Every structure is written in C-alpha cells, then in structure tokens.
Amino acid sequence: MSKKKGTAPRRRMAGAVMAFFFLAFLLLAVRDRSTTGWILCVAVPGIIFLGTYLLPHVFPGDDLLLSLTNFLCALGVLVLYVTNPAYARHQATAYAVGVGCMIFCAYMIRAVRSWRTPVLLLLPLSLVLLALPLLFSDEINGARNWLSVGSISFQPSEVTKVSLVLILSWFMSRRKMFPWLFFTVACLLLLMLQKDLGTALIYYCVTLILYWVSSGNVAVTGLGLAGGAATAYLGYRMFSHVRTRVAIWINPWSNFEGAGYQVVQGLMALASGGLFGVGLGLGTPTAIPVYESDFIFAVICEQFGLIFGICVLLMYVALIWRGATVAIAARHSFYGLLAMACAALLGIQTFIIIGGVLKLIPLTGVTMPFVSYGGTSLISSMCLIGFIQGVASINEDDLAEDRRIAMLDRG
C-alpha cells in the first residue's frame, strides 16, 4: 500500500516535468522549423522518463532527488537550444549518458561489498589523470585543465571529482588520515600548477567539510579555514588572472569594454529579464562571453525572469538538503560520508558559480551543475547523484528490514 502511495506523486511530478519540456521544445520547433527541435521534443521527455522511472523500478531511490536532477538537466538542454542548437544536441547526448552513469553508480553502491581495492586503485589513477593536462594541454582562459583525445575534449578534474568523494569517504570512515590527506594535497598542488583555482577551491572545501562531519574537530577545522584563506591570498599574489578577477569583482564598470565585459553583460541580462523574463528564445544571451557555461544562470534569468531564477536556486537548495538528509539517515559511516560529500560538492560548486554571476564573490571558471554546457561536468554530476541514490536505496532496505523485524516481534 505504501508503495502505491509513493508511486502516484512520483508519476504526477515526472509527468508534469515531461509535459513542460515537451511543450517548450514543441513551440520552439514550430517557430524555428528545426529538425533538432523536433528531435529534442521527443528525446528530452524520453530521457526524463528513463531518469525518473527506470531507477526506482530497479531498486528503491529518492523520487524528489530524481525529479529535481532531471528537471535541471532538461532545463540546461532547453536554454542551450535557444542559443545554439549544436550545444543542445551535445548536451542531450551527455544527459542520456549521464542517466546511464547515474543508474550504474547507484547499482555499484549497492553491489560492491568492499571498497578497499577500488579505492586503492582509484587513488594513483586519479592523480595520473589529473596530472596529464600539465603535459599535454594548452592554456585556456588562464588555466591548463583540458585534455583532448582525438575530437573529444574533457576536464580530468571533473572525472576526479567522482574519485575524490569515494576516496575521502572511505578513508575517513576508517579513520585513516594520511592517505586522504596525501591525496587531497596532491590534487590541490596539481590544480594550482594548472591555475585551476576554482576547482581547487571546491576540492578543498569538500575535504574540510567532510573532515568536520567525520571527526567533529572544530579546532582543526578552524585551522583548515585559516590555511585556506592564506592559500587564497597566496594565489592572489601569484597569479595575475586572479588579481584581474578580483578587480573586476570590485568594480567591473572600470573596464567594462575589456576585462569587465563579461560580468557587465551578465548583470545587464539579469536586469533586462525583470521578474518574468523577456520570453523563451528572446533577448540577447549570446552577447555574454562564455554564456553557455560560466553565465548560463544569467541566460536563464533573462529568458524566464528573476522569479524563475529564484525557483531554480530553491531547487538546488532542495537537492542539496535531500542529499544531506540521505547522509544523516545512513547507518554506515562510509555511506553517510559519501552522500554528504556528494551533496557538499554540488552545493559548493553551485554557490561558487551563481555567486560569481550575481557578483557576490569573484567569478571563477566552474560550471553550474547539471545545467551548464559540458559533457564531462554533466556526467560527473549525475554520477554524484547516483551515489546519493545508491545510499538512499540502502537506507530504504534498512528501513524495510526494521519493519520486517518489528512485524516478527509483534507476531
């Protein structure tokens, strides 16, 4: 009976999301007479269907988390379509792959009984992968964090995020400090050498949060915060592009035709959208440099309005809160830390990019999870959701076992 009660709301929520994006792509396809629009009109709702229905039929999961994740992914495809249909095609493909990776990661959490060997293998492999851009990539926007294999380009730091949460969670759950500390320091050094300070900040904050959650040591956590502040100042002194970004953050209008142009255009897009937006497919989103990744939130607010933008922010809050709730409900330290690490990473990354767009903090070159253009980023974020879903399903199994034992005791 409880299963039927839980299934009906999930179906209604997923159906509403599918209908929203079907109609949005349908209107755009009719307007543009675009083959891509007609394909996405069917493909995106189909991926949403798979993402919200397939996993719960394989094993228990968190329905709200699935709905929020799929809505954000589909929103990214929609916004990219109205600016660049080629981006939308690539993003939809990555979205489909991401759903498969999410289900696979959730299954792995349930299936793998001992993570010792996988973690010990991931540690050196992740460091080697993270070091490759230093040897085989060129500097882009002040950083060397891309790797090209044939026609495919990706960021190894995005792939390593998946390893990071597993390695930190496993070693911290077993109170083994040296391995995770060595891994984190090595990652941070490599990211500093690549000048990828935004990703380094994410890695550092996730490690610090997870250490505090696992140990409760306020003094050492405070020292970590102080050390992070000192490192940030060092990065400011060492790298000219960091000093430029701070100067732009303080006053982008001082050089609005040069270094401050991107921030100024983003703020103008936020203002021009007003409360209700200029309308889907209208406005001038492509006037913002790197609108497809760094400033996609500004594009969303211009198209749909600030009220819709606030709703998107609330979706991220709900998603992160849900992940933390799953972590708190876990009965095994590894699973609890893993879910908390995934929620913390997504939350920190969301704050860094949206805070930069809104001029709350200096802008850094990270992506908005699930929404920004970038296959590697989208797939890695879906893997993190898969880990949370796997932990949520184990929690459901534990509750079902408790109910079974309670019924036996009453009998």
Side-chain angles (χ1 to χ4, degrees):
M1 192 70 178
S2 61
K3 186 176 180 180
K4 291 181 179 180
K5 288 181 180 179
T7 302
R10 169 166 57 83
R11 288 179 175 175
R12 288 195 294 268
M13 187 181 301
V17 172
M18 291 167 61
F20 173 81
F21 286 104
F22 172 78
L23 292 174
F25 280 110
L26 179 63
L27 291 173
L28 292 172
V30 171
R31 185 199 67 177
D32 300 337
R33 298 179 180 178
S34 167
T35 303
T36 299
W38 289 109
I39 293 173
L40 295 178
C41 178
V42 177
V44 172
I47 301 171
I48 294 173
F49 178 83
L50 292 176
T52 53
Y53 281 85
L54 183 58
L55 189 144
H57 277 81
V58 177
F59 41 76
D62 190 297
D63 296 335
L64 178 60
L65 195 63
L66 282 176
S67 297
L68 291 171
T69 301
N70 281 277
F71 182 90
L72 291 171
C73 291
L75 177 64
V77 178
L78 178 63
V79 174
L80 288 170
Y81 173 77
V82 300
T83 56
N84 190 322
Y87 286 165
R89 289 196 302 270
H90 297 155
Q91 192 77 349
T93 302
Y95 177 23
V97 174
V99 168
C101 291
M102 178 185 69
I103 295 172
F104 175 77
C105 288
Y107 172 76
M108 290 297 292
I109 295 300
R110 292 178 58 88
V112 176
R113 297 303 176 187
S114 173
W115 282 92
R116 183 178 183 276
T117 300
V119 165
L120 293 178
L121 289 174
L122 281 173
L123 196 152
L125 290 175
S126 299
L127 292 178
V128 170
L129 179 64
L130 198 59
L132 290 179
L134 291 173
L135 303 174
F136 302 106
S137 71
D138 297 323
E139 189 170 298
I140 301 175
N141 296 326
R144 298 176 61 185
N145 53 358
W146 285 89
L147 194 64
S148 297
V149 180
S151 60
I152 300 174
S153 296
F154 67 99
Q155 287 181 282
S157 59
E158 291 290 341
V159 179
T160 309
K161 285 178 183 176
V162 180
S163 302
L164 178 75
V165 296
L166 285 169
I167 291 169
L168 293 180
S169 301
W170 192 83
F171 282 116
M172 287 188 184
S173 67
R174 278 148 182 79
R175 308 293 182 183
K176 296 180 179 180
M177 186 172 183
F178 176 77
W180 68 257
L181 185 61
F182 165 78
F183 178 73
T184 303
V185 171
C187 287
L188 292 176
L189 288 175
L190 289 171
L191 291 171
M192 290 287 285
L193 291 173
Q194 295 174 18
K195 302 180 183 179
D196 189 358
L197 303 186
T199 304
L201 178 62
I202 294 172
Y203 278 41
Y204 187 82
C205 290
V206 169
T207 303
L208 198 60
I209 290 173
L210 209 60
Y211 173 76
W212 178 73
V213 170
S214 64
S215 68
N217 193 321
V218 177
V220 175
T221 305
L223 288 174
L225 288 172
T231 304
Y233 178 74
L234 180 63
Y236 172 81
R237 300 297 299 178
M238 288 177 59
F239 303 121
S240 60
H241 73 283
V242 176
R243 293 194 295 273
T244 301
R245 287 181 177 181
V246 172
I248 292 169
W249 170 58
I250 295 173
N251 184 11
W253 301 96
S254 63
N255 188 13
F256 69 91
E257 291 184 347
Y261 182 78
Q262 185 184 37
V263 175
V264 169
Q265 288 296 324
L267 293 174
M268 291 175 64
L270 291 169
S272 65
L275 291 177
F276 303 104
V278 298
L280 185 62
L282 303 177
T284 56
T286 55
I288 309 172
V290 203
Y291 65 87
E292 70 278 6
S293 56
D294 291 6
F295 272 80
I296 198 165
F297 183 70
V299 177
I300 291 172
C301 290
E302 182 185 39
Q303 302 272 300
F304 296 99
L306 292 176
I307 293 177
F308 186 87
I310 292 171
C311 291
V312 170
L313 290 178
L314 292 176
M315 289 180 190
Y316 277 106
V317 171
L319 186 148
I320 295 158
W321 177 262
R322 200 70 173 181
T325 302
V326 170
I328 293 170
R331 299 184 183 180
H332 305 279
S333 59
F334 169 68
Y335 296 137
L337 289 173
L338 179 61
M340 186 62 73
C342 294
L345 196 155
L346 293 171
I348 292 165
Q349 185 168 333
T350 301
F351 171 75
I352 288 174
I353 185 60
I354 294 182
V357 172
L358 297 179
K359 204 176 166 293
L360 298 176
I361 59 175
L363 182 68
T364 56
V366 299
T367 55
M368 185 172 167
F370 311 110
V371 180
S372 289
Y373 177 64
T376 316
S377 173
L378 176 57
I379 292 171
S380 67
S381 296
M382 294 293 278
C383 288
L384 298 180
I385 293 297
F387 288 152
I388 299 176
Q389 288 289 350
V391 176
S393 69
I394 291 175
N395 293 348
E396 289 294 324
D397 290 344
D398 291 339
L399 289 174
E401 181 65 17
D402 288 348
R403 288 192 291 267
R404 187 186 69 82
I405 293 174
M407 290 179 62
L408 291 175
D409 290 342
R410 285 197 299 268

